[in-house]
Structures are given as C-alpha cells and as structure tokens.
Amino acid sequence: MACVGALRTCGAPAPLTLVVRLTMKNIFVLDQNFMRDDKLNDLIHGDNLKIVLPDTAFFEMCKAPEWKSTLKNSLEILAQKPHIVYLSAPSNEVIQWEENNRRPTSGIISRRYTQFARELLKEIAEAREGVAHAEIERLMYQRNENVNKRQEECKYAITNLKNKIGDSLSLEQQKKLRAKTIDDASLCQYIRELAPDCALSFFQSLGMNRERASFFCKKNPATIRRIYLNILNATEWIVSGGFEGLSPKKAENELIDQEYIIAGTYFDGILTKENDIKLLHRKLRLILRLPPSKDAPNQTPRISPTTSQPLL
C-alpha cells in the first residue's frame, strides 16, 4: 500500500491501554538527550510545566549493559517531581486503536504507563529497586533478544518507504529537492496533497467508505500524522542523499525519533538538543496546520529560508 510501508514502528503493537487527553497548557515532550540538562532542572520548578515521555525513551536509556546507572542518572531530575510526568502510548498502539474503533483517538496519554513511570521515578528518588525496576529489566531483556531482526525490519521499512516516495516524484522534482530550492511552504503543501491519497486507500481497506475516510483524515488522527512524517522523512533522505549507507541500527534510531516528533504534535513542543528533530517537528506542525510549537529558552531554531520555488 503506497506510502504506508513504514506506518507503524517495527514490531507487533503492544496490548491496547486506556488513552486520555491532557487539556492543561505548558506540556512538553522530553527527549532522552535533554534529561540531564541543567535547564530541565530550572524548567520543572517553573510555572505548571508538564512533561510527556514516549515509551521509547526507556528503551533508549536501557540499551546498554549499564542500563541501571543510565536510567538513574537520566531520571534523577524528573524524580524530584513524579506528579508532573506523563507517559504516552506508542504510536503503533494508538494507530491500532484508531483502526479498531474507526475514529481518531482523543489523546495519547496512557494512564497505565503513566502510573508505571511515576512508580519508577519514586523508586529512583528513594534509591531502591522495586517492582518498576523489575518490569523494566524484563521488558528490556525481551526487546533486546531480537535486536538484530528488529533493526533489519526497520531498515526494510525505511527502504520500502523511500522507494515509494521516490517513485511518486518526477526527476525534476527530485532535482529541486536535492538543489534545496524548494521552500518549506511548497514542500509541506506537496506532502498535504500526496498523503491523503495514501491515507484514504488505507482507511478504505479497513472498510470505511471514501466520505468517512476523508472526514477521518481531516481530524488529524495519529495515522495521518505518521503518514505525513514518513513522507517528510523520505523527502529529507532524498535531499541528503545519505540513505544508501543507512545501517539497521541507524534505521531503528530514525523510527525512534519519530515517536518524539509525533508525540510533540499533540502538545506544546519538544525539549531536545537535536536540531534535526526540532526542524522535522516544526515542519510536521506546519503540515498539520497546528500552531507553532512554544519555545523553551533557546530550544527551537528558525527554519532557514530558501529560494521559493514550487514543487508541483
């Protein structure tokens, strides 16, 4: 199915959990690379800040053999205020929920996962290893058992996606992309026009008629956010020309980054040190016609202007 080859992150969806919507303001998704920054310590003691962690953050922290010390050092700041931390459900789980219920989810925060995260933070604050640590160890052992197979699946998914997007672009369009003469507005407009055809065929395969599927897409469900980001990523790979040497491990990291970017579109922004994530997040918000992300101090760079030239 066109453009949906890498719709979900690799691996089977986790069991569905209750997903809720946060209605308060000042909510930021926190990237693992920002967790030890002194700025985070200042921010959590500020005015009503709420932090959302994607579940993949724990996977990133627990990949190495010394995962316990990494987990402790990374979460020490958040452990001061467990009550401000929420955990989002994986995007593949949210997408599965939307497929099963034929409607967009109202939010991506998991109550069960949030309870688990707060219990883990309490254990860290109290310098003890309890039920939450034991569960992390079990899950990480289970996930790391098939690491090579999973990484190869991620590379295959990205390869398949890039080829499909490349096939949909004319040689002239690909030349414009590589020459970086496409302004962001034109690129985002192109993606908005390409993605619905991919999404409509996907939703119709689930039994929706075209009218219902079109209405569903306009609500910006997690599914269409994933498709938009996949196409945006594929165009970035075409521009950079750096895809051919992509290792399976790097492919998995690319899909992990997507979890932060998609989650960030449900809230006020992302706290991260990676410029690539910041820029992709800003472009995805532009595609979704969402308000610009809020800026934590010195966090979100401007997208560099380019010579305006339409893609289509």
Side-chain angles (χ1 to χ4, degrees):
M1 175 168 46
C3 302
V4 197
L7 181 61
R8 300 184 181 87
T9 48
C10 299
L16 299 181
T17 61
L18 181 61
V19 175
V20 297
R21 181 181 181 183
L22 295 182
T23 57
M24 68 279 282
K25 303 291 185 181
N26 213 21
I27 308 169
F28 287 86
V29 171
L30 179 63
D31 193 349
Q32 192 264 342
N33 64 37
F34 198 80
M35 289 181 179
R36 304 188 194 190
D37 198 293
D38 290 338
K39 291 178 184 175
L40 179 62
N41 193 52
D42 296 335
L43 288 169
I44 67 169
H45 292 96
D47 186 24
N48 298 320
L49 181 76
K50 299 292 184 290
I51 293 294
V52 175
L53 298 177
D55 78 315
T56 49
F58 291 95
F59 173 63
E60 284 195 282
M61 287 183 277
C62 298
K63 289 188 291 187
E66 60 276 10
W67 66 269
K68 288 184 180 180
S69 61
T70 302
L71 194 70
K72 173 182 177 294
N73 294 333
S74 296
L75 295 178
E76 272 186 328
I77 292 177
L78 292 181
Q80 300 174 53
K81 287 194 167 186
H83 64 282
I84 71 168
V85 177
Y86 298 81
L87 207 65
S88 62
S91 62
N92 61 341
E93 184 175 317
V94 176
I95 289 169
Q96 184 67 60
W97 188 95
E98 291 181 345
E99 289 181 22
N100 293 345
N101 292 275
R102 304 294 196 274
R103 61 187 176 89
T105 179
S106 59
I108 63 169
I109 296 300
S110 166
R111 287 180 178 170
R112 180 164 66 88
Y113 293 167
T114 295
Q115 290 171 352
F116 166 79
R118 291 178 179 179
E119 179 58 34
L120 179 64
L121 291 171
K122 289 176 183 177
E123 290 181 8
I124 290 173
E126 296 168 3
R128 62 183 175 86
E129 293 183 14
V131 174
H133 274 80
E135 181 64 6
I136 281 279
E137 187 165 15
R138 184 188 70 81
L139 291 173
M140 290 307 106
Y141 176 79
Q142 186 181 64
R143 186 159 185 174
N144 289 334
E145 267 191 316
N146 299 311
V147 61
N148 292 333
K149 179 182 177 183
R150 187 181 65 254
Q151 289 177 353
E152 288 292 345
E153 287 174 350
C154 290
K155 181 169 183 179
Y156 172 79
I158 290 177
T159 304
N160 193 34
L161 171 67
K162 191 254 187 183
N163 289 339
K164 286 176 178 177
I165 300 302
D167 291 344
S168 73
L169 292 167
S170 69
L171 290 177
E172 184 62 27
Q173 289 170 336
Q174 292 190 43
K175 286 180 182 178
K176 288 181 181 180
L177 281 172
R178 290 194 177 100
K180 299 183 180 180
T181 58
I182 307 300
D183 64 280
D184 292 312
S186 294
L187 177 61
C188 292
Q189 180 61 31
Y190 162 73
I191 293 173
R192 270 198 295 266
E193 293 176 4
L194 177 62
D197 287 339
C198 307
L200 286 175
S201 63
F202 175 67
F203 293 129
Q204 286 178 302
S205 74
L206 300 178
M208 294 185 190
N209 61 39
R210 188 172 183 84
E211 182 180 1
R212 173 65 178 164
S214 179
F215 175 79
F216 190 87
C217 288
K218 291 177 181 177
K219 295 294 184 180
N220 283 342
T223 312
I224 195 72
R225 295 177 198 231
R226 169 71 71 183
I227 292 172
Y228 281 145
L229 183 54
N230 281 338
I231 298 174
L232 181 57
N233 262 332
T235 59
E236 294 289 331
W237 293 322
I238 290 171
V239 169
S240 67
F243 177 81
E244 282 66 22
L246 186 70
S247 68
K249 183 177 180 180
K250 175 67 173 173
E252 182 178 49
N253 289 338
E254 292 278 358
L255 294 181
I256 287 174
D257 288 347
Q258 287 192 359
E259 293 294 303
Y260 292 99
I261 295 167
I262 292 174
T265 63
Y266 284 89
F267 307 107
D268 292 319
I270 302 177
L271 300 177
T272 180
K273 294 182 178 181
E274 291 192 28
N275 284 330
D276 288 346
I277 291 180
K278 296 174 191 177
L279 295 177
L280 282 170
H281 176 243
R282 289 195 64 162
K283 289 180 181 179
L284 182 57
R285 293 184 82 96
L286 182 61
I287 294 168
L288 292 165
R289 295 189 171 99
L290 295 173
S293 59
K294 290 184 180 179
D295 291 354
N298 301 318
Q299 281 307 294
T300 312
R302 294 179 180 272
I303 298 176
S304 300
T306 57
T307 304
S308 179
Q309 187 175 353
L311 180 64
L312 298 175

